Amino acid sequence: MIMEAPARSAEQVLVGLDFEEAGMALSPPPKPQAALIVKERSAAIRLLGDKPPAVRVGLLLEKGVGVLVVLIKAGQYAARIYPIWCNPRRPSDQTVLAVLSGQPFVGVQFYGSSGRRERTFIVENPCPAFRSRWQQALERCLPWSDEEFGKAVRSILARHGGSANLWEAL
């Protein structure tokens, strides 16, 4: 069951991000759309090239905790990978994931040094095809806390050695 949680705009998501980090935002109702938000230095955004980013999604189970990760790989010549860690048991993440899972395409928005949007790409969204698999896997998991979720993310990163290896693993 999807619980209602306040939608977070791109501006609200950006407040919690450092450079080279990403998150998810929703446009306002009545027909909200999910977007992937990347905060990056303007100089790096200019070097992205014209090739649209690629997006992958995966569910990683770590000691009974389900970690849903959305990876954005951007950059035509020097690729960077931006992970978005989603806790599918957190109401705010459930809300965004429900909207994102219903979209065939998703906007990947790059916000630069000034805090303004500098680039937007529309890419194929892998989430709708993956949704039933992640929901089935989560049904077998016991509840977990935010602290356990954070430990699971750190463990996943340690095991994979970073986002580049995680991209290859998905």
Coordinates of all heavy atoms in Angstrom, one line a residue, residues 100-140:
L100 N 7.1 7.3 -10.4 CA 8.2 6.9 -11.3 C 7.9 5.6 -12.0 O 8.2 5.5 -13.2 CB 9.5 6.8 -10.5 CG 10.8 6.6 -11.3 CD1 11.1 7.7 -12.3 CD2 12.0 6.4 -10.4
S101 N 7.3 4.7 -11.3 CA 7.1 3.4 -11.9 C 5.9 3.4 -13.0 O 5.8 2.5 -13.8 CB 6.7 2.4 -10.9 OG 7.8 2.1 -10.0
G102 N 5.2 4.5 -13.0 CA 4.1 4.6 -14.0 C 4.5 5.4 -15.2 O 3.7 5.7 -16.1
Q103 N 5.7 5.9 -15.3 CA 6.2 6.7 -16.4 C 7.1 5.9 -17.4 O 8.1 5.3 -16.9 CB 7.0 7.9 -15.9 CG 6.3 8.8 -15.0 CD 7.3 9.9 -14.4 OE1 6.9 10.6 -13.5 NE2 8.5 10.1 -14.9
P104 N 6.8 6.0 -18.7 CA 7.7 5.3 -19.6 C 9.0 6.0 -19.8 O 10.0 5.4 -20.1 CB 6.9 5.2 -20.9 CG 5.9 6.3 -20.8 CD 5.6 6.5 -19.3
F105 N 9.0 7.3 -19.6 CA 10.2 8.2 -19.7 C 10.4 9.0 -18.4 O 9.4 9.2 -17.7 CB 10.1 9.1 -20.9 CG 10.0 8.4 -22.2 CD1 8.7 8.1 -22.8 CD2 11.1 7.9 -22.9 CE1 8.6 7.4 -23.9 CE2 11.0 7.2 -24.0 CZ 9.8 6.9 -24.6
V106 N 11.6 9.4 -18.2 CA 11.9 10.2 -17.0 C 12.9 11.3 -17.4 O 13.7 11.1 -18.2 CB 12.4 9.3 -15.8 CG1 13.8 8.7 -16.2 CG2 12.5 10.1 -14.5
G107 N 12.7 12.5 -16.8 CA 13.6 13.6 -17.0 C 14.8 13.5 -16.0 O 14.6 13.2 -14.8
V108 N 16.0 13.7 -16.5 CA 17.2 13.7 -15.7 C 17.6 15.2 -15.8 O 18.0 15.7 -16.9 CB 18.3 12.8 -16.2 CG1 19.5 12.9 -15.3 CG2 17.7 11.3 -16.3
Q109 N 17.5 15.9 -14.7 CA 17.8 17.3 -14.6 C 19.1 17.6 -13.9 O 19.3 17.1 -12.8 CB 16.6 18.0 -13.9 CG 15.3 17.8 -14.6 CD 14.1 18.4 -13.8 OE1 14.3 18.9 -12.7 NE2 12.9 18.3 -14.4
F110 N 20.0 18.3 -14.5 CA 21.2 18.7 -13.9 C 21.2 20.1 -13.5 O 20.9 21.0 -14.3 CB 22.4 18.5 -14.9 CG 22.7 17.1 -15.2 CD1 21.9 16.3 -16.1 CD2 23.7 16.4 -14.5 CE1 22.2 15.0 -16.4 CE2 24.0 15.1 -14.8 CZ 23.3 14.4 -15.7
Y111 N 21.4 20.3 -12.2 CA 21.5 21.6 -11.6 C 22.9 22.0 -11.3 O 23.7 21.2 -10.7 CB 20.6 21.7 -10.3 CG 19.2 21.7 -10.5 CD1 18.5 20.5 -10.9 CD2 18.4 22.8 -10.4 CE1 17.1 20.5 -11.2 CE2 17.1 22.8 -10.7 CZ 16.4 21.7 -11.0 OH 15.1 21.7 -11.3
G112 N 23.3 23.2 -11.7 CA 24.7 23.6 -11.6 C 25.1 24.4 -10.3 O 24.3 24.5 -9.4
S113 N 26.2 25.0 -10.4 CA 26.8 25.7 -9.3 C 25.9 26.8 -8.8 O 25.9 27.1 -7.6 CB 28.2 26.3 -9.7 OG 29.0 25.2 -10.1
S114 N 25.2 27.4 -9.6 CA 24.3 28.5 -9.2 C 23.0 28.0 -8.6 O 22.2 28.9 -8.1 CB 23.9 29.4 -10.5 OG 23.1 28.7 -11.3
G115 N 22.7 26.8 -8.7 CA 21.5 26.2 -8.1 C 20.4 26.2 -9.2 O 19.3 25.8 -8.9
R116 N 20.7 26.6 -10.4 CA 19.6 26.6 -11.4 C 19.8 25.4 -12.4 O 20.9 24.9 -12.5 CB 19.7 27.9 -12.2 CG 19.3 29.1 -11.4 CD 18.9 30.3 -12.4 NE 20.2 30.8 -13.0 CZ 20.6 32.0 -12.8 NH1 19.9 32.9 -12.1 NH2 21.7 32.4 -13.4
R117 N 18.7 25.0 -12.9 CA 18.8 23.9 -13.9 C 19.5 24.3 -15.1 O 19.2 25.3 -15.7 CB 17.4 23.4 -14.2 CG 17.3 22.2 -15.1 CD 16.0 21.6 -15.2 NE 15.0 22.6 -15.6 CZ 13.7 22.5 -15.6 NH1 13.2 21.3 -15.3 NH2 12.9 23.4 -15.9
E118 N 20.5 23.5 -15.5 CA 21.3 23.8 -16.7 C 21.1 22.8 -17.9 O 21.3 23.2 -19.0 CB 22.8 23.8 -16.3 CG 23.1 25.0 -15.3 CD 24.6 25.1 -15.0 OE1 25.4 24.5 -15.7 OE2 24.9 25.8 -14.0
R119 N 20.8 21.6 -17.6 CA 20.5 20.6 -18.6 C 19.4 19.7 -18.2 O 19.3 19.3 -17.0 CB 21.8 19.7 -18.9 CG 23.0 20.3 -19.3 CD 23.1 20.7 -20.8 NE 22.9 19.7 -21.8 CZ 23.9 19.0 -22.3 NH1 25.1 19.1 -21.9 NH2 23.6 18.1 -23.2
T120 N 18.6 19.3 -19.2 CA 17.6 18.3 -19.0 C 17.6 17.3 -20.1 O 17.7 17.7 -21.3 CB 16.2 18.9 -18.9 OG1 16.1 19.8 -17.8 CG2 15.1 17.9 -18.7
F121 N 17.6 16.0 -19.8 CA 17.5 14.9 -20.7 C 16.3 14.1 -20.4 O 16.0 13.9 -19.3 CB 18.7 14.0 -20.6 CG 20.1 14.6 -20.9 CD1 20.8 15.2 -19.9 CD2 20.5 14.6 -22.2 CE1 22.1 15.7 -20.2 CE2 21.8 15.2 -22.5 CZ 22.5 15.8 -21.5
I122 N 15.6 13.7 -21.5 CA 14.5 12.8 -21.3 C 14.9 11.4 -21.8 O 15.4 11.2 -22.9 CB 13.2 13.2 -22.1 CG1 12.8 14.6 -21.8 CG2 12.1 12.2 -21.9 CD1 12.4 14.9 -20.4
V123 N 14.9 10.4 -20.8 CA 15.4 9.1 -21.1 C 14.4 8.0 -20.9 O 13.4 8.3 -20.1 CB 16.7 8.8 -20.3 CG1 17.8 9.8 -20.7 CG2 16.4 8.8 -18.9
E124 N 14.6 6.9 -21.4 CA 13.7 5.7 -21.1 C 13.8 5.3 -19.7 O 14.9 5.3 -19.1 CB 14.1 4.5 -22.0 CG 13.1 3.4 -22.0 CD 13.4 2.3 -23.0 OE1 14.1 2.5 -23.9 OE2 12.8 1.2 -22.8
N125 N 12.7 5.1 -19.1 CA 12.7 4.8 -17.6 C 12.6 3.2 -17.4 O 11.7 2.6 -17.8 CB 11.4 5.4 -17.0 CG 11.3 5.2 -15.6 OD1 12.1 4.6 -14.9 ND2 10.1 5.7 -15.0
P126 N 13.6 2.7 -16.7 CA 13.7 1.2 -16.5 C 12.8 0.8 -15.4 O 12.6 -0.4 -15.2 CB 15.1 0.9 -16.2 CG 15.6 2.2 -15.5 CD 14.9 3.3 -16.2
C127 N 12.2 1.7 -14.6 CA 11.5 1.3 -13.4 C 10.2 0.6 -13.7 O 9.9 -0.4 -12.9 CB 11.2 2.5 -12.5 SG 12.7 3.2 -11.8
P128 N 9.4 0.9 -14.7 CA 8.1 0.2 -14.8 C 8.3 -1.3 -15.1 O 7.6 -2.1 -14.5 CB 7.5 0.9 -16.0 CG 8.0 2.3 -16.0 CD 9.4 2.1 -15.5
A129 N 9.3 -1.7 -15.8 CA 9.5 -3.1 -16.1 C 10.1 -3.8 -14.9 O 9.9 -5.1 -14.8 CB 10.5 -3.2 -17.3
F130 N 10.7 -3.1 -14.0 CA 11.3 -3.8 -12.9 C 10.4 -3.8 -11.6 O 10.7 -4.5 -10.7 CB 12.6 -3.0 -12.5 CG 13.5 -3.6 -11.5 CD1 14.1 -4.8 -11.8 CD2 13.7 -3.0 -10.3 CE1 14.9 -5.4 -10.8 CE2 14.5 -3.6 -9.3 CZ 15.1 -4.8 -9.6
R131 N 9.4 -3.0 -11.6 CA 8.5 -2.8 -10.5 C 8.0 -4.1 -9.9 O 8.1 -4.3 -8.6 CB 7.4 -1.9 -10.8 CG 6.5 -1.6 -9.5 CD 5.4 -0.6 -9.8 NE 4.7 -0.3 -8.6 CZ 3.8 0.6 -8.5 NH1 3.5 1.3 -9.5 NH2 3.2 0.8 -7.3
S132 N 7.4 -5.0 -10.7 CA 6.8 -6.2 -10.1 C 7.9 -7.1 -9.4 O 7.6 -7.7 -8.4 CB 6.0 -7.0 -11.1 OG 6.9 -7.5 -12.1
R133 N 9.1 -7.1 -10.0 CA 10.2 -7.9 -9.4 C 10.6 -7.4 -8.0 O 10.8 -8.1 -7.1 CB 11.4 -8.0 -10.3 CG 11.1 -8.9 -11.5 CD 12.4 -9.2 -12.3 NE 13.1 -8.0 -12.5 CZ 13.8 -7.8 -13.6 NH1 13.9 -8.7 -14.6 NH2 14.5 -6.7 -13.8
W134 N 10.7 -6.1 -7.9 CA 11.2 -5.5 -6.6 C 10.1 -5.6 -5.6 O 10.3 -5.9 -4.4 CB 11.8 -4.1 -6.7 CG 10.9 -2.9 -6.6 CD1 10.0 -2.6 -5.6 CD2 10.8 -1.8 -7.5 NE1 9.5 -1.4 -5.8 CE2 9.9 -0.9 -6.9 CE3 11.5 -1.5 -8.7 CZ2 9.6 0.3 -7.5 CZ3 11.2 -0.3 -9.3 CH2 10.3 0.6 -8.7
Q135 N 8.8 -5.5 -6.0 CA 7.7 -5.7 -5.1 C 7.6 -7.1 -4.5 O 7.4 -7.3 -3.3 CB 6.4 -5.2 -5.7 CG 6.3 -3.7 -5.8 CD 5.0 -3.3 -6.5 OE1 4.4 -4.0 -7.4 NE2 4.5 -2.1 -6.1
Q136 N 7.8 -8.1 -5.4 CA 7.8 -9.5 -5.0 C 8.9 -9.8 -4.0 O 8.7 -10.5 -3.0 CB 7.8 -10.4 -6.2 CG 6.6 -10.4 -7.0 CD 6.8 -11.2 -8.3 OE1 7.9 -11.7 -8.6 NE2 5.7 -11.3 -9.1
A137 N 10.1 -9.3 -4.3 CA 11.2 -9.5 -3.4 C 11.0 -8.8 -2.0 O 11.3 -9.4 -1.0 CB 12.5 -9.0 -4.0
L138 N 10.4 -7.7 -2.0 CA 10.2 -7.0 -0.7 C 9.1 -7.6 0.1 O 9.1 -7.5 1.3 CB 9.8 -5.5 -1.0 CG 10.9 -4.6 -1.5 CD1 10.4 -3.2 -1.9 CD2 12.0 -4.5 -0.5
E139 N 8.2 -8.3 -0.5 CA 7.1 -9.0 0.3 C 7.7 -10.0 1.2 O 7.1 -10.4 2.2 CB 6.1 -9.6 -0.7 CG 5.2 -8.6 -1.4 CD 4.3 -9.2 -2.4 OE1 4.4 -10.4 -2.6 OE2 3.6 -8.4 -3.0
R140 N 8.9 -10.6 0.9 CA 9.5 -11.6 1.7 C 10.4 -11.0 2.8 O 10.9 -11.8 3.6 CB 10.3 -12.5 0.8 CG 9.5 -13.3 -0.2 CD 10.3 -14.3 -1.0 NE 11.3 -13.7 -1.8 CZ 11.2 -13.4 -3.1 NH1 10.1 -13.5 -3.7 NH2 12.3 -12.9 -3.7

